[in-house]
Amino acid sequence: MWFAYFASILALVALAQGYGDGAPPSACKDMIPRHPVPPQSTPAPYTITPSTKVVKAGTPMEVTISGNSAADTIRGIMLQARAGAKIVGTFKVDPDDRLARLMKCDVQGDTITHKRHDPKDDKQTVSFTWTPPADLNDNIKFRATIAYTGEVFWVGLESAPVKVTL
């Protein structure tokens, strides 16, 4: 009996620790992080702000995610740029960034996710550089999943649209 109880606790701890090294590849399409709890249904306390409303294809731009208050920190993240349902462009992340790293969904760097880090390195605001493909002529939106904790997270946050022109 004690063994079954102990094994159950270990399994729950493993699930709760889940993806401390970032989103799993299975989350690329739906951006659901596979935590053992459902996402929040309340409005997210985070805002995604592109640095511009229009960008030339192949020209880098910034995107910022901010918590609405100092208490709204980011523990986990998954960020993509999408033209409709298609993931487009690539990001750059400072190699010394303690919160974020690049991952590959379709091509290396098309998605940002978190990496294992100390809670003191959670951030209220993060900014990244994104570069659209040189041949893109479409509207995109930045789309994110943001985790406040492993149990409290929001899926499908979107920015205002950005027009990418040739």
Side-chain angles (χ1 to χ4, degrees):
M1 167 127 162
W2 282 104
F3 176 76
Y5 175 76
F6 185 68
S8 296
I9 294 298
L10 281 177
L12 284 173
V13 168
L15 282 172
Q17 294 303 313
Y19 299 101
D21 285 330
S26 61
C28 285
K29 191 170 209 161
D30 61 16
M31 300 188 81
I32 297 173
R34 311 305 188 257
H35 294 182
V37 295
Q40 300 297 299
S41 58
T42 58
Y46 303 96
T47 305
I48 305 171
T49 308
S51 61
T52 185
K53 293 179 180 182
V54 180
V55 65
K56 186 169 174 49
T59 303
M61 62 171 286
E62 294 292 312
V63 59
T64 300
I65 300 175
S66 298
N68 295 343
S69 75
D72 298 320
T73 55
I74 299 167
R75 178 91 183 127
I77 186 171
M78 185 176 195
L79 176 66
Q80 298 172 337
R82 292 189 177 197
K86 182 175 173 46
I87 303 167
V88 294
T90 55
F91 291 93
K92 285 189 179 174
V93 173
D94 184 325
D96 295 327
D97 190 304
R98 296 184 138 179
L99 174 70
R101 67 175 179 84
L102 297 174
M103 73 179 275
K104 174 185 177 181
C105 284
D106 293 327
V107 299
Q108 180 58 33
D110 64 359
T111 302
I112 289 177
T113 191
H114 58 282
K115 57 187 173 184
R116 189 171 305 279
H117 65 278
D118 192 286
K120 70 179 173 52
D121 293 321
D122 290 359
K123 297 181 182 177
Q124 190 257 337
T125 299
V126 293
S127 293
F128 303 105
T129 301
W130 175 75
T131 303
D135 61 349
L136 186 66
N137 188 31
D138 204 345
N139 289 316
I140 65 101
K141 287 185 179 180
F142 292 99
R143 186 176 169 115
T145 293
I146 307 292
Y148 176 72
T149 66
E151 296 79 29
V152 179
F153 61 95
W154 291 263
V155 174
L157 284 67
E158 287 189 339
S159 70
V162 174
K163 174 68 179 160
V164 181
T165 61
L166 291 175

